[in-house]
Amino acid sequence: MFGISVYDGMFGPGQATMLMYTFLRNGATYLQSLAFTRFQTFISCTAAFITYFLAGNIAWDIAIYYTIGSLIGSQLAVRVAQKISTRQLKFILHAVTIALLLQLILRIAFP
């Protein structure tokens, strides 16, 4: 968990996927994994907000849009996840992970 948090602080992308796999591998259900991941991301973002706020580096116009979008997205994810079977959710998680890996490989191979 500490390593994933450090990665999140340095790079960000992929952090939620790594957390989902970590929770699923340790026996949590898909919905529990989703909830734990959203909570950890919330804590991480709150800490980043406080740090940037204290440093005076907040672009409020952008921060407001990101906050609203994040709240809407997380609510949609939780509501949709409750209506889809665990098997389908795992398939989606794996498919998105593979797509992101392919995108990364293509960006590295063809800059």
Side-chain angles (χ1 to χ4, degrees), residues 3-109:
I4 293 172
S5 296
V6 170
Y7 176 86
D8 180 35
M10 290 173 50
F11 303 108
Q15 167 264 355
T17 304
M18 288 190 287
L19 279 173
M20 290 290 295
Y21 280 118
T22 301
F23 290 126
L24 287 170
R25 192 166 260 289
N26 288 311
T29 67
Y30 189 85
L31 288 177
Q32 288 172 329
S33 298
L34 181 64
F36 292 146
T37 299
R38 298 307 315 147
F39 180 70
Q40 192 280 336
T41 303
F42 171 76
I43 296 298
S44 176
C45 290
T46 301
F49 173 79
I50 291 168
T51 302
Y52 283 112
F53 179 76
L54 294 176
N57 293 331
I58 298 287
W60 289 103
D61 53 339
I62 296 171
I64 290 170
Y65 292 117
Y66 275 126
T67 301
I68 293 169
S70 180
L71 290 171
I72 292 170
S74 63
Q75 289 300 311
L76 286 173
V78 170
R79 290 184 189 342
V80 169
Q82 292 174 344
K83 297 178 181 176
I84 299 176
S85 74
T86 302
R87 185 174 181 201
Q88 291 170 324
L89 290 170
K90 285 185 180 181
F91 174 78
I92 292 169
L93 179 63
H94 295 312
V96 169
T97 301
I98 291 169
L100 290 173
L101 286 171
L102 290 174
Q103 179 188 24
L104 181 63
I105 291 168
L106 290 174
R107 283 191 178 179
I108 290 171

